[in-house]
Amino acid sequence: MAFNNNNNNKYVLLTFAVCPLIVAVGLTVVPELVDVGLSVERRKLEAVSVDFGRLSKGEAAAVAHPGTAEEVARVVKAAFEARFPVSARGHGHSINGQALIREKKGVVIEMGGQNQNDNSIRVFEKGMYVDVWGGKLWIEVLSATLEYGLAPMSWTDYLYLSVGGTLSNAGISGQTFNHGPQITNVYELDVVTGKGELVTCSEDRNAELFHAVLGGLGQFGIITRARIALEPAPQRVRWIRVLYSNFARFCKDQEYLISLHGKPEKERFDYVEGFVIVDEGLINNWRSSFFSASNPVKITSLNADGGVLYCLEITKNYNQANADSLEEEIQSLLKKLDFIPTSVFTTDLPYVDFLDRVHKAELKLRSKGLWDVPHPWLNLFVPKSRIADFDKGVFKGILGNKTSGPILIYPMNKNKWDQRSSVVTPEEDVFYLVAFLRSALDTETLEYLSNENRQILRFCHDSEIKVKQYLPHYTTHQEWMDHFGDKWTQFIARKMQFDPRQILATGQQIFQFDPLTDM
Ligand code: ZME
């Protein structure tokens, strides 16, 4: 039977696909895989060879399209027995290769796309939670829960990310100060471990696997189902931006606002973020629509501190029932803040439109061919005690005025982060996310921005600012050990227990996959 590698069929049954798989992986027949759809189409293999970061190139022998957890388990079991790597891919939005496979002999398991089972999102109204297939996107989760007037409470800024993907990192946004990251808002998971076993886990049941997988960078298992907490969905959002030219005042206000976590909703904002404006280009560019023509900002007139401005971004959710008191609640909160009085910008929009705001930016960038480009992002958790030093050394120091993307900055409370999860955060009770979300349109810019990232990291190291990377990227064993610090021993133990053959998510190169020296 001739194998036609160059056909128009999207999916080739393994009965056929096993041939190139055998060649590429060097396997004998893998009977477990017989009715799991595998594709070896070149276009497909190329599509899974990059992630959103576009910073490294992957290789794959085949792409699997499982529709059920059992099928995922079958693929991973085969990988475990035959010792080839497998990486789960949701929407492929990893920056540093979590969705990729570097070795030519691996299989990418596509969790999104067509093949998912029909009941991939189930809302439990009474229980106030939703059960979701790991490959589902948060935008899809939101649409499904809104049908019941419910919604998850902790978000990412961008909703075209898979549930399994964000939960294996943390999932952070302006709600994190109050609700914790997305991983704090999960009741239960179904996970296919690196041994190909399908395990249900929670705080009370297989707890070690549950905590390992949350923030585990895909190293311990593939999330096939997540049970996510819900709240009554707000209808609308009042979205406010105010400017600061003084960094100390900006931080004081952000820290004050996040100290209101856990207060009744009337007495706090629902979302606290912020961003740094180092060049006028930014304000006239991608976020221009917010600073409306009717209320133009003369940036140069604001007497920026070392040429740098800081924008606090806050929101308040509301619905018909509490619309009347909204203005008063907002004014009494704003009264406590110390921003530039003439710099208040307000928008009002439906809840979904607010949550889905980055998608609007995506469509604009896509239309100009500025989306599918390398993203040398640097995301740092900076301890509160050193954020002023960071400002001086980085925003007012290292950064040129060509940042090539937004720079987000906002604090969060460590007590909302479960210390049993695999994610690593700084020691202090309050730490900031500083996110350099850069796009590199040409190789010179990529070089320039990557070099700037290295300089920032070196500055932090030299000044002993104990930052932790979010969506971490390292190239050596020593760096990964340093990253995990106190948690390294546990991370290794969890790896030996749940993925002893080190076949999962090899693209980040935390463990060097080498089947010859392995075991
Ligand atoms: C590439 C790009 C990222 C364009 C806009 N963004 C973002 N904007 C605002 N917050 C974000 C973000 N990406 C993550 N968070």
Side-chain angles (χ1 to χ4, degrees):
M1 154 100 247
F3 180 80
N4 186 356
N5 195 345
N6 196 19
N7 59 20
N8 294 320
N9 298 334
K10 252 185 144 174
Y11 307 118
V12 190
L13 273 185
L14 182 84
T15 337
F16 306 102
V18 86
C19 310
L21 193 61
I22 288 168
V23 172
V25 185
L27 303 175
T28 49
V29 178
V30 184
E32 293 89 341
L33 285 185
V34 174
D35 41 303
V36 173
L38 278 189
S39 169
V40 291
E41 203 189 347
R42 182 203 289 255
R43 204 170 45 85
K44 202 82 215 179
L45 296 179
E46 262 168 26
V48 302
S49 73
V50 290
D51 61 8
F52 183 71
R54 287 187 180 248
L55 301 171
S56 59
K57 197 91 178 144
E59 299 258 17
V63 182
H65 305 87
T68 63
E70 288 70 26
E71 285 175 12
V72 174
R74 227 180 301 156
V75 178
V76 180
K77 186 85 182 172
F80 174 75
E81 312 230 295
R83 296 170 191 256
F84 61 85
V86 280
S87 291
R89 180 183 183 93
H91 198 51
H93 264 256
S94 55
I95 296 296
N96 293 305
Q98 187 180 323
L100 306 182
I101 280 185
R102 297 288 189 94
E103 306 82 1
K104 225 175 181 130
K105 57 210 159 188
V107 173
V108 168
I109 303 182
E110 200 134 76
M111 298 294 287
Q114 308 310 307
N115 275 23
Q116 307 165 29
N117 44 56
D118 312 330
N119 55 356
S120 55
I121 303 185
R122 280 173 296 157
V123 180
F124 295 82
E125 249 181 306
K126 266 219 188 113
M128 296 280 274
Y129 58 77
V130 60
D131 274 4
V132 194
W133 170 252
K136 277 285 167 201
L137 304 181
W138 284 95
I139 185 78
E140 300 173 298
V141 178
L142 178 60
S143 322
T145 61
L146 282 178
E147 300 273 323
Y148 298 81
L150 300 171
M153 31 233 206
S154 185
W155 295 96
T156 48
D157 290 352
Y158 179 61
L159 304 186
Y160 290 71
L161 304 172
S162 71
V163 167
T166 72
L167 295 183
S168 56
N169 284 278
I172 55 172
S173 187
Q175 303 86 9
T176 302
F177 82 96
N178 190 43
H179 291 295
Q182 290 182 318
I183 55 174
T184 297
N185 297 277
V186 175
Y187 294 138
E188 187 177 281
L189 299 172
D190 282 348
V191 172
V192 173
T193 70
K195 297 176 187 170
E197 294 162 347
L198 176 58
V199 181
T200 299
C201 59
S202 66
E203 255 183 47
D204 308 318
R205 187 173 163 200
N206 299 306
E208 187 63 19
L209 179 63
F210 183 69
H211 297 303
V213 165
L214 295 173
L217 304 173
Q219 295 305 307
F220 309 111
I222 297 174
I223 298 170
T224 54
R225 178 183 62 93
R227 177 165 292 179
I228 297 154
L230 300 176
E231 65 176 2
Q235 290 165 343
R236 294 188 68 83
V237 172
R238 187 67 53 85
W239 181 7
I240 302 164
R241 286 176 176 170
V242 297
L243 294 174
Y244 295 75
S245 56
N246 180 292
F247 187 66
R249 287 184 203 155
F250 170 76
C251 291
K252 185 161 166 277
D253 284 358
Q254 276 199 328
E255 287 168 25
Y256 167 68
L257 292 174
I258 72 152
S259 78
L260 303 176
H261 70 89
K263 293 256 185 206
E265 200 173 350
K266 289 182 170 310
E267 297 168 35
R268 55 167 173 82
F269 285 110
D270 290 296
Y271 163 106
V272 178
E273 283 201 8
F275 54 95
V276 182
I277 303 165
V278 295
D279 58 321
E280 217 168 313
L282 187 72
I283 220 162
N284 297 328
N285 193 349
W286 75 282
R287 281 190 174 213
S288 58
S289 55
F290 203 95
F291 300 97
S292 65
S294 63
N295 198 355
V297 202
K298 290 205 186 65
I299 296 293
T300 42
S301 75
L302 291 172
N303 196 19
D305 188 356
V308 182
L309 277 176
Y310 307 91
C311 181
L312 169 66
E313 179 175 72
I314 47 203
T315 74
K316 214 150 179 27
N317 301 335
Y318 69 101
N319 49 40
Q320 276 145 357
N322 59 13
D324 291 344
S325 55
L326 180 75
E327 198 51 47
E328 199 185 312
E329 290 164 26
I330 289 175
Q331 289 314 320
S332 86
L333 278 164
L334 289 182
K335 253 196 336 230
K336 302 254 172 62
L337 306 181
D338 197 12
F339 49 85
I340 300 168
T342 56
S343 73
V344 185
F345 306 90
T346 303
T347 308
D348 196 284
L349 72 179
Y351 189 51
V352 182
D353 293 8
F354 172 72
L355 290 180
D356 201 27
R357 64 201 177 283
V358 174
H359 185 55
K360 310 274 184 312
E362 172 185 3
L363 295 177
K364 268 191 214 155
L365 292 170
R366 267 193 197 283
S367 72
K368 298 184 212 155
L370 303 178
W371 185 257
D372 292 322
V373 299
H375 294 99
W377 287 12
L378 180 65
N379 287 273
L380 299 174
F381 290 136
V382 182
K384 166 188 146 176
S385 69
R386 304 302 305 279
I387 195 71
D389 301 318
F390 190 93
D391 171 59
K392 223 185 208 169
V394 180
F395 303 144
K396 297 192 176 84
I398 294 167
L399 280 192
N401 61 1
K402 190 170 106 183
T403 63
S404 305
I407 304 172
L408 310 185
I409 174 168
Y410 55 94
M412 37 205 141
N413 300 302
K414 192 175 170 96
N415 66 358
K416 303 278 178 178
W417 294 66
D418 191 327
Q419 292 316 302
R420 295 169 295 182
S421 86
S422 290
V423 69
V424 192
T425 58
E427 290 299 325
E428 294 178 18
D429 291 345
V430 170
F431 55 86
Y432 281 78
L433 169 77
V434 180
F436 302 88
L437 307 179
R438 303 128 149 353
S439 299
L441 306 186
D442 52 66
T443 49
E444 288 94 316
T445 311
L446 180 57
E447 257 320 296
Y448 174 82
L449 296 174
S450 307
N451 182 53
E452 219 171 59
N453 289 347
R454 280 190 292 274
Q455 275 180 268
I456 293 168
L457 288 170
R458 190 175 320 124
F459 164 75
C460 292
H461 180 265
D462 292 349
S463 357
E464 294 180 65
I465 303 176
K466 297 207 172 69
V467 299
K468 290 295 177 189
Q469 284 190 43
Y470 178 61
L471 318 178
H473 169 65
Y474 295 107
T475 50
T476 68
H477 180 76
Q478 185 62 44
E479 287 172 318
W480 281 113
M481 277 177 58
D482 293 344
H483 171 73
F484 284 102
D486 294 347
K487 279 186 159 179
W488 179 249
T489 315
Q490 180 193 52
F491 198 79
I492 294 290
R494 286 171 166 179
K495 189 70 175 175
M496 292 198 296
Q497 186 176 356
F498 301 120
D499 181 22
R501 292 191 178 164
Q502 305 183 358
I503 57 175
L504 291 175
T506 58
Q508 299 156 105
Q509 302 185 300
I510 302 175
F511 303 94
Q512 305 302 315
F513 180 81
D514 184 352
L516 297 177
T517 59
D518 188 41
M519 303 292 106

